[in-house]
Amino acid sequence: WFLLKNEQFKLRDTLYYLPSVDSITSEKLAIVLKDNCTKKSDTAFVTIRLQQSVKISTNYKDTVLCNGNNLKLKAKGTGGNAAKYQWQWKDLNQNSIISKSDSLSIKATQNTIIQLVLVNGCLSDTSTFNLYVNPPLKGAILFNRGNLYDTTICYGKSLKLFSTGKGGTGSGYNYKWYLDKTLLSSADTLNFSTSNFYTSSGGTKTLSLILKDNCTNGSDSVSRFIKVIPGPLSDFSWGNACNKTKIPFVFTGSLAALPVTTKFAWHYPDGDSSNIQNPSKLLSQGGKNKVTLVLRSSNGCNDAITKNVDVKQEATANF
């Protein structure tokens, strides 16, 4: 064996050879075979070329994505023989291979460190970057006492509801309130009046809040059962209000159907009271008189209303 350059002989059938200088891109070796009989020897040649270094030419920077969105990347390399490139994408947090091609497509669900390796024979290049994922969306339904859970409420009552959002981009939240499948509101608050959404006999429906943020792929939803039980609604009217004649009061509200029973309690400014449905009462004090009607049902539902009764001075005849 010898280098054509300097005819360095190695008189063995096997050659262990280290290329002489890194800067040399090509070296040519020859092997000459002789025996002690044949007059003409035989020669074979071997060319050793320095393999070009490979490099990942795509520059990957740390990336922030919304939860559930897809990360799609395509890598490019330079140097060596592109037809023999071997690619490997790896999730370093999970120590798992997530792709073996020049392309990567994954759904962003959690923070991770991604490593890309390009191999071409004995040479390789590595690139590493961080994938940061916004937290998943988390919605909540609140009222003045805290979180709203499955709730039983009397007919005619209202709930002032508030919504909160967390996760995602942290701002720009979109809210949708649904009762069963009916859209009630797109605001962040909801005045939930049972008399608007239920009949007087009550029932159970599902109140849902859907939270989005224009970035996260998907949404978060919170659902609560709202059970409405029959309850009374206080209201009344009155006839002529004069200070020397009893005023007739007429109940104009509504009562829960039997077997629920309801008790009446009328309260007058002079401290007097009555428990009949349609009483009459003398209010001798002229001007505004506050009259209150309280209804108490046997199922625990109550309601009350107060009105100002304008009592006029009754004329006195004389001549």
Side-chain angles (χ1 to χ4, degrees):
W1 297 87
F2 62 92
L3 277 170
L4 291 184
K5 188 174 180 180
N6 57 16
E7 296 188 358
Q8 176 184 355
F9 287 89
K10 297 288 185 179
L11 302 178
R12 295 188 295 273
D13 61 353
T14 303
L15 175 68
Y16 294 94
Y17 176 74
L18 180 67
S20 56
V21 183
D22 290 342
S23 61
I24 297 176
T25 59
S26 178
E27 294 179 300
K28 196 168 186 178
L29 305 181
I31 178 171
V32 179
L33 176 64
K34 294 180 180 181
D35 64 5
N36 294 322
C37 176
T38 307
K39 292 183 179 181
K40 187 176 181 180
S41 61
D42 188 39
T43 303
F45 300 93
V46 176
T47 299
I48 300 176
R49 294 182 179 86
L50 181 65
Q51 182 167 287
Q52 237 182 343
S53 62
V54 294
K55 184 173 180 59
I56 299 171
S57 59
T58 313
N59 183 23
Y60 294 110
K61 297 181 179 180
D62 292 347
T63 303
V64 179
L65 282 182
C66 292
N67 198 289
N69 287 353
N70 288 327
L71 174 66
K72 292 185 177 181
L73 300 173
K74 188 174 180 64
K76 293 182 180 180
T78 58
N81 185 355
K84 295 185 178 180
Y85 283 174
Q86 296 179 9
W87 298 94
Q88 178 178 282
W89 302 81
K90 192 171 184 181
D91 180 345
L92 295 184
N93 287 8
Q94 302 295 327
N95 194 27
S96 61
I97 297 173
I98 50 181
S99 177
K100 288 187 175 182
S101 72
D102 60 350
S103 299
L104 175 68
S105 180
I106 60 172
K107 180 175 285 189
T109 57
Q110 60 183 0
N111 295 342
T112 188
I113 303 173
I114 296 179
Q115 181 187 70
L116 172 62
V117 179
L118 170 60
V119 178
N120 185 21
C122 59
L123 302 175
S124 65
D125 190 28
T126 302
S127 176
T128 303
F129 64 96
N130 289 285
L131 172 62
Y132 299 106
V133 181
N134 288 334
L137 290 174
K138 185 66 176 177
I141 301 177
L142 309 175
F143 72 126
N144 59 355
R145 296 181 183 175
N147 284 311
L148 179 73
Y149 299 99
D150 295 343
T151 299
T152 298
I153 187 172
C154 297
Y155 177 74
K157 301 301 181 182
S158 298
L159 290 172
K160 184 68 173 181
L161 301 178
F162 308 87
S163 57
T164 62
K166 295 181 180 179
T169 58
S171 62
Y173 294 129
N174 296 322
Y175 304 92
K176 298 286 186 184
W177 299 87
Y178 290 89
L179 187 62
D180 288 343
K181 295 182 179 180
T182 302
L183 177 64
L184 302 183
S185 174
S186 298
D188 57 354
T189 61
L190 176 67
N191 186 20
F192 188 81
S193 177
T194 56
S195 57
N196 291 338
F197 309 127
Y198 293 77
T199 64
S200 59
S201 58
T204 300
K205 296 183 179 182
T206 302
L207 177 67
S208 300
L209 171 66
I210 309 298
L211 175 68
K212 293 184 178 181
D213 69 347
N214 294 320
C215 180
T216 304
N217 185 3
S219 60
D220 186 47
S221 63
V222 185
S223 295
R224 298 289 183 258
F225 291 113
I226 307 296
K227 181 180 180 181
V228 174
I229 59 176
L233 291 179
S234 291
D235 202 359
F236 62 90
S237 63
W238 58 91
N240 291 332
C242 299
N243 67 330
K244 295 183 178 181
T245 307
K246 284 188 176 181
I247 304 170
F249 290 94
V250 179
F251 170 66
T252 58
S254 63
L255 302 176
L258 294 173
V260 178
T261 58
T262 303
K263 293 181 179 181
F264 288 78
W266 296 84
H267 298 279
Y268 304 108
D270 61 359
D272 195 10
S273 62
S274 175
N275 59 8
I276 64 175
Q277 183 168 332
N278 299 307
S280 293
K281 170 64 178 174
L282 177 64
L283 298 177
S284 58
Q285 182 66 40
K288 304 294 185 181
N289 286 256
K290 291 185 180 297
V291 177
T292 299
L293 171 60
V294 178
L295 301 178
R296 294 184 175 86
S297 294
S298 58
N299 62 357
C301 291
N302 304 320
D303 194 37
I305 190 172
T306 298
K307 291 186 175 184
N308 283 316
V309 180
D310 190 8
V311 178
K312 305 297 184 181
Q313 291 292 331
E314 192 166 326
T316 300
N318 197 3
F319 65 91

mmCIF file of all heavy atoms in Angstrom, residues 57-102:
data_model
loop_
_atom_site.group_PDB
_atom_site.id
_atom_site.type_symbol
_atom_site.label_atom_id
_atom_site.label_comp_id
_atom_site.label_asym_id
_atom_site.label_seq_id
_atom_site.Cartn_x
_atom_site.Cartn_y
_atom_site.Cartn_z
ATOM 1 N N SER A 57 -29.443 24.586 8.610
ATOM 2 C CA SER A 57 -29.469 25.978 8.161
ATOM 3 C C SER A 57 -30.687 26.737 8.664
ATOM 4 O O SER A 57 -30.701 27.969 8.661
ATOM 5 C CB SER A 57 -29.423 26.039 6.628
ATOM 6 O OG SER A 57 -30.527 25.339 6.068
ATOM 7 N N THR A 58 -31.732 26.019 9.113
ATOM 8 C CA THR A 58 -32.924 26.677 9.639
ATOM 9 C C THR A 58 -32.658 27.134 11.068
ATOM 10 O O THR A 58 -32.207 26.344 11.904
ATOM 11 C CB THR A 58 -34.133 25.734 9.621
ATOM 12 O OG1 THR A 58 -34.216 25.099 8.355
ATOM 13 C CG2 THR A 58 -35.417 26.503 9.880
ATOM 14 N N ASN A 59 -32.941 28.409 11.340
ATOM 15 C CA ASN A 59 -32.686 28.965 12.668
ATOM 16 C C ASN A 59 -33.969 28.912 13.491
ATOM 17 O O ASN A 59 -34.945 29.606 13.200
ATOM 18 C CB ASN A 59 -32.201 30.411 12.536
ATOM 19 C CG ASN A 59 -31.839 31.009 13.894
ATOM 20 O OD1 ASN A 59 -31.535 30.279 14.835
ATOM 21 N ND2 ASN A 59 -31.900 32.317 13.987
ATOM 22 N N TYR A 60 -33.979 28.096 14.524
ATOM 23 C CA TYR A 60 -35.163 27.948 15.367
ATOM 24 C C TYR A 60 -34.965 28.735 16.664
ATOM 25 O O TYR A 60 -33.956 28.575 17.349
ATOM 26 C CB TYR A 60 -35.425 26.480 15.686
ATOM 27 C CG TYR A 60 -35.805 25.681 14.469
ATOM 28 C CD1 TYR A 60 -34.934 24.728 13.947
ATOM 29 C CD2 TYR A 60 -37.013 25.901 13.828
ATOM 30 C CE1 TYR A 60 -35.275 23.998 12.830
ATOM 31 C CE2 TYR A 60 -37.360 25.180 12.704
ATOM 32 C CZ TYR A 60 -36.475 24.235 12.203
ATOM 33 O OH TYR A 60 -36.815 23.539 11.087
ATOM 34 N N LYS A 61 -35.940 29.585 16.967
ATOM 35 C CA LYS A 61 -35.911 30.371 18.190
ATOM 36 C C LYS A 61 -36.985 29.863 19.151
ATOM 37 O O LYS A 61 -37.919 29.164 18.745
ATOM 38 C CB LYS A 61 -36.152 31.848 17.878
ATOM 39 C CG LYS A 61 -35.085 32.472 16.999
ATOM 40 C CD LYS A 61 -35.372 33.946 16.748
ATOM 41 C CE LYS A 61 -34.284 34.576 15.890
ATOM 42 N NZ LYS A 61 -34.539 36.017 15.627
ATOM 43 N N ASP A 62 -36.860 30.236 20.412
ATOM 44 C CA ASP A 62 -37.883 29.871 21.396
ATOM 45 C C ASP A 62 -39.239 30.379 20.912
ATOM 46 O O ASP A 62 -39.361 31.508 20.424
ATOM 47 C CB ASP A 62 -37.552 30.461 22.758
ATOM 48 C CG ASP A 62 -36.310 29.823 23.361
ATOM 49 O OD1 ASP A 62 -35.867 28.785 22.850
ATOM 50 O OD2 ASP A 62 -35.777 30.373 24.342
ATOM 51 N N THR A 63 -40.263 29.551 21.054
ATOM 52 C CA THR A 63 -41.577 29.824 20.473
ATOM 53 C C THR A 63 -42.657 29.751 21.539
ATOM 54 O O THR A 63 -42.613 28.875 22.408
ATOM 55 C CB THR A 63 -41.885 28.802 19.358
ATOM 56 O OG1 THR A 63 -40.850 28.857 18.379
ATOM 57 C CG2 THR A 63 -43.219 29.101 18.700
ATOM 58 N N VAL A 64 -43.637 30.660 21.467
ATOM 59 C CA VAL A 64 -44.802 30.649 22.357
ATOM 60 C C VAL A 64 -46.033 30.337 21.517
ATOM 61 O O VAL A 64 -46.274 30.988 20.495
ATOM 62 C CB VAL A 64 -44.990 31.992 23.078
ATOM 63 C CG1 VAL A 64 -46.226 31.942 23.980
ATOM 64 C CG2 VAL A 64 -43.759 32.338 23.899
ATOM 65 N N LEU A 65 -46.816 29.343 21.941
ATOM 66 C CA LEU A 65 -48.027 28.966 21.223
ATOM 67 C C LEU A 65 -49.209 28.902 22.189
ATOM 68 O O LEU A 65 -49.042 28.646 23.387
ATOM 69 C CB LEU A 65 -47.862 27.597 20.553
ATOM 70 C CG LEU A 65 -47.060 27.520 19.249
ATOM 71 C CD1 LEU A 65 -47.068 26.096 18.734
ATOM 72 C CD2 LEU A 65 -47.595 28.458 18.206
ATOM 73 N N CYS A 66 -50.387 29.128 21.644
ATOM 74 C CA CYS A 66 -51.603 28.928 22.427
ATOM 75 C C CYS A 66 -51.881 27.441 22.578
ATOM 76 O O CYS A 66 -51.584 26.643 21.680
ATOM 77 C CB CYS A 66 -52.786 29.621 21.750
ATOM 78 S SG CYS A 66 -52.665 31.414 21.776
ATOM 79 N N ASN A 67 -52.449 27.083 23.695
ATOM 80 C CA ASN A 67 -52.721 25.687 24.000
ATOM 81 C C ASN A 67 -53.610 25.063 22.933
ATOM 82 O O ASN A 67 -54.630 25.627 22.540
ATOM 83 C CB ASN A 67 -53.398 25.576 25.367
ATOM 84 C CG ASN A 67 -53.303 24.182 25.925
ATOM 85 O OD1 ASN A 67 -53.946 23.268 25.454
ATOM 86 N ND2 ASN A 67 -52.493 24.019 26.953
ATOM 87 N N GLY A 68 -53.199 23.876 22.448
ATOM 88 C CA GLY A 68 -53.998 23.136 21.470
ATOM 89 C C GLY A 68 -53.690 23.463 20.031
ATOM 90 O O GLY A 68 -54.157 22.766 19.129
ATOM 91 N N ASN A 69 -52.907 24.523 19.779
ATOM 92 C CA ASN A 69 -52.543 24.849 18.401
ATOM 93 C C ASN A 69 -51.436 23.926 17.912
ATOM 94 O O ASN A 69 -50.695 23.340 18.695
ATOM 95 C CB ASN A 69 -52.094 26.308 18.291
ATOM 96 C CG ASN A 69 -53.256 27.271 18.399
ATOM 97 O OD1 ASN A 69 -54.409 26.862 18.423
ATOM 98 N ND2 ASN A 69 -52.973 28.555 18.481
ATOM 99 N N ASN A 70 -51.321 23.808 16.577
ATOM 100 C CA ASN A 70 -50.327 22.925 15.992
ATOM 101 C C ASN A 70 -49.025 23.674 15.726
ATOM 102 O O ASN A 70 -49.032 24.815 15.258
ATOM 103 C CB ASN A 70 -50.835 22.321 14.678
ATOM 104 C CG ASN A 70 -51.925 21.291 14.913
ATOM 105 O OD1 ASN A 70 -51.917 20.589 15.915
ATOM 106 N ND2 ASN A 70 -52.864 21.198 13.994
ATOM 107 N N LEU A 71 -47.921 23.012 16.044
ATOM 108 C CA LEU A 71 -46.604 23.511 15.689
ATOM 109 C C LEU A 71 -46.134 22.737 14.465
ATOM 110 O O LEU A 71 -45.981 21.513 14.510
ATOM 111 C CB LEU A 71 -45.620 23.315 16.850
ATOM 112 C CG LEU A 71 -44.165 23.675 16.550
ATOM 113 C CD1 LEU A 71 -44.021 25.176 16.305
ATOM 114 C CD2 LEU A 71 -43.249 23.226 17.675
ATOM 115 N N LYS A 72 -45.920 23.456 13.358
ATOM 116 C CA LYS A 72 -45.468 22.824 12.115
ATOM 117 C C LYS A 72 -44.157 23.465 11.690
ATOM 118 O O LYS A 72 -44.084 24.678 11.487
ATOM 119 C CB LYS A 72 -46.525 22.980 11.020
ATOM 120 C CG LYS A 72 -47.806 22.200 11.282
ATOM 121 C CD LYS A 72 -48.772 22.302 10.104
ATOM 122 C CE LYS A 72 -50.020 21.469 10.348
ATOM 123 N NZ LYS A 72 -50.965 21.533 9.198
ATOM 124 N N LEU A 73 -43.115 22.638 11.544
ATOM 125 C CA LEU A 73 -41.793 23.117 11.159
ATOM 126 C C LEU A 73 -41.220 22.214 10.077
ATOM 127 O O LEU A 73 -41.500 21.008 10.038
ATOM 128 C CB LEU A 73 -40.853 23.130 12.369
ATOM 129 C CG LEU A 73 -41.263 24.011 13.561
ATOM 130 C CD1 LEU A 73 -40.305 23.777 14.726
ATOM 131 C CD2 LEU A 73 -41.281 25.478 13.172
ATOM 132 N N LYS A 74 -40.388 22.798 9.205
ATOM 133 C CA LYS A 74 -39.686 22.027 8.188
ATOM 134 C C LYS A 74 -38.226 22.460 8.216
ATOM 135 O O LYS A 74 -37.908 23.643 8.071
ATOM 136 C CB LYS A 74 -40.277 22.249 6.802
ATOM 137 C CG LYS A 74 -39.712 21.312 5.740
ATOM 138 C CD LYS A 74 -40.434 21.467 4.426
ATOM 139 C CE LYS A 74 -39.886 20.532 3.355
ATOM 140 N NZ LYS A 74 -40.096 19.110 3.707
ATOM 141 N N ALA A 75 -37.330 21.509 8.408
ATOM 142 C CA ALA A 75 -35.916 21.799 8.573
ATOM 143 C C ALA A 75 -35.181 21.737 7.239
ATOM 144 O O ALA A 75 -35.571 21.004 6.326
ATOM 145 C CB ALA A 75 -35.300 20.817 9.557
ATOM 146 N N LYS A 76 -34.109 22.516 7.153
ATOM 147 C CA LYS A 76 -33.223 22.482 6.000
ATOM 148 C C LYS A 76 -31.781 22.366 6.479
ATOM 149 O O LYS A 76 -31.436 22.860 7.560
ATOM 150 C CB LYS A 76 -33.388 23.747 5.151
ATOM 151 C CG LYS A 76 -34.753 23.869 4.477
ATOM 152 C CD LYS A 76 -34.815 25.126 3.621
ATOM 153 C CE LYS A 76 -36.176 25.245 2.938
ATOM 154 N NZ LYS A 76 -36.272 26.468 2.089
ATOM 155 N N GLY A 77 -30.966 21.703 5.665
ATOM 156 C CA GLY A 77 -29.572 21.526 6.019
ATOM 157 C C GLY A 77 -28.657 21.828 4.846
ATOM 158 O O GLY A 77 -29.097 21.888 3.690
ATOM 159 N N THR A 78 -27.388 22.018 5.152
ATOM 160 C CA THR A 78 -26.383 22.249 4.123
ATOM 161 C C THR A 78 -25.200 21.326 4.366
ATOM 162 O O THR A 78 -24.953 20.871 5.484
ATOM 163 C CB THR A 78 -25.882 23.708 4.133
ATOM 164 O OG1 THR A 78 -25.332 24.003 5.428
ATOM 165 C CG2 THR A 78 -27.013 24.670 3.841
ATOM 166 N N GLY A 79 -24.460 21.061 3.268
ATOM 167 C CA GLY A 79 -23.266 20.240 3.370
ATOM 168 C C GLY A 79 -23.560 18.766 3.204
ATOM 169 O O GLY A 79 -24.696 18.303 3.337
ATOM 170 N N GLY A 80 -22.522 18.000 2.890
ATOM 171 C CA GLY A 80 -22.661 16.572 2.743
ATOM 172 C C GLY A 80 -23.596 16.182 1.614
ATOM 173 O O GLY A 80 -23.879 16.947 0.697
ATOM 174 N N ASN A 81 -24.067 14.972 1.708
ATOM 175 C CA ASN A 81 -24.975 14.431 0.698
ATOM 176 C C ASN A 81 -26.402 14.532 1.219
ATOM 177 O O ASN A 81 -26.799 13.784 2.111
ATOM 178 C CB ASN A 81 -24.606 12.983 0.390
ATOM 179 C CG ASN A 81 -25.448 12.402 -0.741
ATOM 180 O OD1 ASN A 81 -26.370 13.056 -1.235
ATOM 181 N ND2 ASN A 81 -25.113 11.197 -1.159
ATOM 182 N N ALA A 82 -27.196 15.473 0.670
ATOM 183 C CA ALA A 82 -28.548 15.698 1.174
ATOM 184 C C ALA A 82 -29.423 14.466 1.068
ATOM 185 O O ALA A 82 -30.371 14.286 1.841
ATOM 186 C CB ALA A 82 -29.183 16.867 0.429
ATOM 187 N N ALA A 83 -29.138 13.616 0.097
ATOM 188 C CA ALA A 83 -29.946 12.407 -0.078
ATOM 189 C C ALA A 83 -29.768 11.434 1.077
ATOM 190 O O ALA A 83 -30.600 10.542 1.277
ATOM 191 C CB ALA A 83 -29.588 11.730 -1.401
ATOM 192 N N LYS A 84 -28.691 11.603 1.833
ATOM 193 C CA LYS A 84 -28.432 10.687 2.947
ATOM 194 C C LYS A 84 -28.646 11.337 4.312
ATOM 195 O O LYS A 84 -28.229 10.806 5.335
ATOM 196 C CB LYS A 84 -27.000 10.161 2.853
ATOM 197 C CG LYS A 84 -26.760 9.293 1.623
ATOM 198 C CD LYS A 84 -25.363 8.702 1.626
ATOM 199 C CE LYS A 84 -25.156 7.789 0.417
ATOM 200 N NZ LYS A 84 -23.796 7.203 0.408
ATOM 201 N N TYR A 85 -29.313 12.503 4.318
ATOM 202 C CA TYR A 85 -29.605 13.154 5.595
ATOM 203 C C TYR A 85 -30.523 12.267 6.440
ATOM 204 O O TYR A 85 -31.485 11.668 5.947
ATOM 205 C CB TYR A 85 -30.297 14.492 5.377
ATOM 206 C CG TYR A 85 -29.393 15.623 4.930
ATOM 207 C CD1 TYR A 85 -29.924 16.861 4.580
ATOM 208 C CD2 TYR A 85 -28.016 15.467 4.872
ATOM 209 C CE1 TYR A 85 -29.104 17.916 4.171
ATOM 210 C CE2 TYR A 85 -27.185 16.499 4.457
ATOM 211 C CZ TYR A 85 -27.734 17.722 4.109
ATOM 212 O OH TYR A 85 -26.924 18.750 3.710
ATOM 213 N N GLN A 86 -30.213 12.223 7.715
ATOM 214 C CA GLN A 86 -31.084 11.567 8.689
ATOM 215 C C GLN A 86 -31.478 12.604 9.741
ATOM 216 O O GLN A 86 -30.605 13.183 10.407
ATOM 217 C CB GLN A 86 -30.386 10.368 9.347
ATOM 218 C CG GLN A 86 -30.044 9.262 8.371
ATOM 219 C CD GLN A 86 -29.321 8.110 9.061
ATOM 220 O OE1 GLN A 86 -29.224 8.056 10.278
ATOM 221 N NE2 GLN A 86 -28.819 7.178 8.267
ATOM 222 N N TRP A 87 -32.808 12.809 9.875
ATOM 223 C CA TRP A 87 -33.329 13.825 10.791
ATOM 224 C C TRP A 87 -33.944 13.149 12.017
ATOM 225 O O TRP A 87 -34.505 12.055 11.922
ATOM 226 C CB TRP A 87 -34.406 14.674 10.124
ATOM 227 C CG TRP A 87 -33.928 15.456 8.933
ATOM 228 C CD1 TRP A 87 -33.993 15.071 7.632
ATOM 229 C CD2 TRP A 87 -33.306 16.742 8.952
ATOM 230 N NE1 TRP A 87 -33.461 16.036 6.818
ATOM 231 C CE2 TRP A 87 -33.034 17.086 7.606
ATOM 232 C CE3 TRP A 87 -32.957 17.643 9.945
ATOM 233 C CZ2 TRP A 87 -32.431 18.279 7.250
ATOM 234 C CZ3 TRP A 87 -32.359 18.839 9.586
ATOM 235 C CH2 TRP A 87 -32.098 19.153 8.257
ATOM 236 N N GLN A 88 -33.849 13.836 13.134
ATOM 237 C CA GLN A 88 -34.501 13.336 14.362
ATOM 238 C C GLN A 88 -34.910 14.517 15.234
ATOM 239 O O GLN A 88 -34.075 15.334 15.610
ATOM 240 C CB GLN A 88 -33.572 12.415 15.134
ATOM 241 C CG GLN A 88 -34.170 11.900 16.451
ATOM 242 C CD GLN A 88 -33.243 10.942 17.166
ATOM 243 O OE1 GLN A 88 -33.144 9.782 16.803
ATOM 244 N NE2 GLN A 88 -32.547 11.439 18.186
ATOM 245 N N TRP A 89 -36.239 14.602 15.517
ATOM 246 C CA TRP A 89 -36.781 15.599 16.446
ATOM 247 C C TRP A 89 -37.058 14.868 17.758
ATOM 248 O O TRP A 89 -37.669 13.802 17.776
ATOM 249 C CB TRP A 89 -38.079 16.193 15.925
ATOM 250 C CG TRP A 89 -37.988 16.853 14.578
ATOM 251 C CD1 TRP A 89 -38.014 16.233 13.363
ATOM 252 C CD2 TRP A 89 -37.876 18.253 14.314
ATOM 253 N NE1 TRP A 89 -37.931 17.155 12.353
ATOM 254 C CE2 TRP A 89 -37.848 18.413 12.902
ATOM 255 C CE3 TRP A 89 -37.805 19.386 15.115
ATOM 256 C CZ2 TRP A 89 -37.752 19.648 12.290
ATOM 257 C CZ3 TRP A 89 -37.710 20.629 14.512
ATOM 258 C CH2 TRP A 89 -37.673 20.764 13.118
ATOM 259 N N LYS A 90 -36.640 15.496 18.843
ATOM 260 C CA LYS A 90 -36.772 14.823 20.142
ATOM 261 C C LYS A 90 -37.357 15.763 21.178
ATOM 262 O O LYS A 90 -37.000 16.948 21.241
ATOM 263 C CB LYS A 90 -35.404 14.325 20.600
ATOM 264 C CG LYS A 90 -35.455 13.363 21.784
ATOM 265 C CD LYS A 90 -34.093 12.748 22.035
ATOM 266 C CE LYS A 90 -34.137 11.711 23.143
ATOM 267 N NZ LYS A 90 -32.793 11.117 23.398
ATOM 268 N N ASP A 91 -38.292 15.244 21.982
ATOM 269 C CA ASP A 91 -38.832 15.948 23.150
ATOM 270 C C ASP A 91 -37.921 15.597 24.332
ATOM 271 O O ASP A 91 -37.962 14.482 24.854
ATOM 272 C CB ASP A 91 -40.269 15.484 23.410
ATOM 273 C CG ASP A 91 -40.900 16.171 24.619
ATOM 274 O OD1 ASP A 91 -40.160 16.774 25.422
ATOM 275 O OD2 ASP A 91 -42.134 16.091 24.762
ATOM 276 N N LEU A 92 -37.102 16.572 24.731
ATOM 277 C CA LEU A 92 -36.135 16.282 25.785
ATOM 278 C C LEU A 92 -36.788 16.122 27.145
ATOM 279 O O LEU A 92 -36.241 15.436 28.016
ATOM 280 C CB LEU A 92 -35.076 17.392 25.839
ATOM 281 C CG LEU A 92 -34.181 17.523 24.597
ATOM 282 C CD1 LEU A 92 -33.123 18.596 24.828
ATOM 283 C CD2 LEU A 92 -33.514 16.193 24.263
ATOM 284 N N ASN A 93 -37.948 16.762 27.359
ATOM 285 C CA ASN A 93 -38.640 16.605 28.654
ATOM 286 C C ASN A 93 -39.103 15.168 28.841
ATOM 287 O O ASN A 93 -39.009 14.613 29.937
ATOM 288 C CB ASN A 93 -39.828 17.553 28.738
ATOM 289 C CG ASN A 93 -39.408 19.001 28.933
ATOM 290 O OD1 ASN A 93 -38.231 19.309 28.852
ATOM 291 N ND2 ASN A 93 -40.363 19.875 29.188
ATOM 292 N N GLN A 94 -39.652 14.590 27.767
ATOM 293 C CA GLN A 94 -40.163 13.221 27.850
ATOM 294 C C GLN A 94 -39.128 12.204 27.374
ATOM 295 O O GLN A 94 -39.380 10.999 27.443
ATOM 296 C CB GLN A 94 -41.423 13.093 26.981
ATOM 297 C CG GLN A 94 -42.550 14.042 27.360
ATOM 298 C CD GLN A 94 -43.107 13.762 28.734
ATOM 299 O OE1 GLN A 94 -43.145 12.604 29.175
ATOM 300 N NE2 GLN A 94 -43.543 14.807 29.432
ATOM 301 N N ASN A 95 -37.989 12.698 26.875
ATOM 302 C CA ASN A 95 -36.949 11.834 26.317
ATOM 303 C C ASN A 95 -37.533 10.886 25.262
ATOM 304 O O ASN A 95 -37.305 9.675 25.280
ATOM 305 C CB ASN A 95 -36.254 11.022 27.421
ATOM 306 C CG ASN A 95 -34.956 10.391 26.931
ATOM 307 O OD1 ASN A 95 -34.319 10.915 26.020
ATOM 308 N ND2 ASN A 95 -34.583 9.272 27.519
ATOM 309 N N SER A 96 -38.296 11.475 24.339
ATOM 310 C CA SER A 96 -38.959 10.666 23.323
ATOM 311 C C SER A 96 -38.771 11.294 21.952
ATOM 312 O O SER A 96 -38.685 12.525 21.813
ATOM 313 C CB SER A 96 -40.458 10.533 23.630
ATOM 314 O OG SER A 96 -41.077 11.809 23.636
ATOM 315 N N ILE A 97 -38.695 10.454 20.930
ATOM 316 C CA ILE A 97 -38.562 10.913 19.551
ATOM 317 C C ILE A 97 -39.954 11.245 19.018
ATOM 318 O O ILE A 97 -40.880 10.429 19.123
ATOM 319 C CB ILE A 97 -37.890 9.839 18.681
ATOM 320 C CG1 ILE A 97 -36.466 9.585 19.180
ATOM 321 C CG2 ILE A 97 -37.873 10.260 17.216
ATOM 322 C CD1 ILE A 97 -35.764 8.427 18.507
ATOM 323 N N ILE A 98 -40.097 12.442 18.438
ATOM 324 C CA ILE A 98 -41.420 12.865 17.967
ATOM 325 C C ILE A 98 -41.479 12.970 16.445
ATOM 326 O O ILE A 98 -42.565 13.148 15.888
ATOM 327 C CB ILE A 98 -41.827 14.207 18.611
ATOM 328 C CG1 ILE A 98 -40.729 15.255 18.491
ATOM 329 C CG2 ILE A 98 -42.189 14.003 20.065
ATOM 330 C CD1 ILE A 98 -41.072 16.596 19.145
ATOM 331 N N SER A 99 -40.344 12.848 15.765
ATOM 332 C CA SER A 99 -40.355 12.808 14.300
ATOM 333 C C SER A 99 -38.993 12.329 13.807
ATOM 334 O O SER A 99 -37.966 12.630 14.422
ATOM 335 C CB SER A 99 -40.680 14.175 13.705
ATOM 336 O OG SER A 99 -40.614 14.135 12.286
ATOM 337 N N LYS A 100 -39.001 11.599 12.655
ATOM 338 C CA LYS A 100 -37.759 11.128 12.037
ATOM 339 C C LYS A 100 -37.647 11.616 10.598
ATOM 340 O O LYS A 100 -36.974 10.992 9.782
ATOM 341 C CB LYS A 100 -37.671 9.608 12.087
ATOM 342 C CG LYS A 100 -37.413 9.050 13.476
ATOM 343 C CD LYS A 100 -37.168 7.554 13.444
ATOM 344 C CE LYS A 100 -36.793 7.018 14.811
ATOM 345 N NZ LYS A 100 -36.494 5.560 14.777
ATOM 346 N N SER A 101 -38.326 12.715 10.305
ATOM 347 C CA SER A 101 -38.220 13.310 8.978
ATOM 348 C C SER A 101 -37.788 14.761 9.134
ATOM 349 O O SER A 101 -37.571 15.243 10.253
ATOM 350 C CB SER A 101 -39.544 13.219 8.240
ATOM 351 O OG SER A 101 -40.493 14.114 8.801
ATOM 352 N N ASP A 102 -37.674 15.459 8.004
ATOM 353 C CA ASP A 102 -37.284 16.861 8.093
ATOM 354 C C ASP A 102 -38.436 17.746 8.545
ATOM 355 O O ASP A 102 -38.259 18.951 8.743
ATOM 356 C CB ASP A 102 -36.736 17.345 6.744
ATOM 357 C CG ASP A 102 -37.769 17.226 5.631
ATOM 358 O OD1 ASP A 102 -38.825 16.612 5.858
ATOM 359 O OD2 ASP A 102 -37.496 17.746 4.534
#
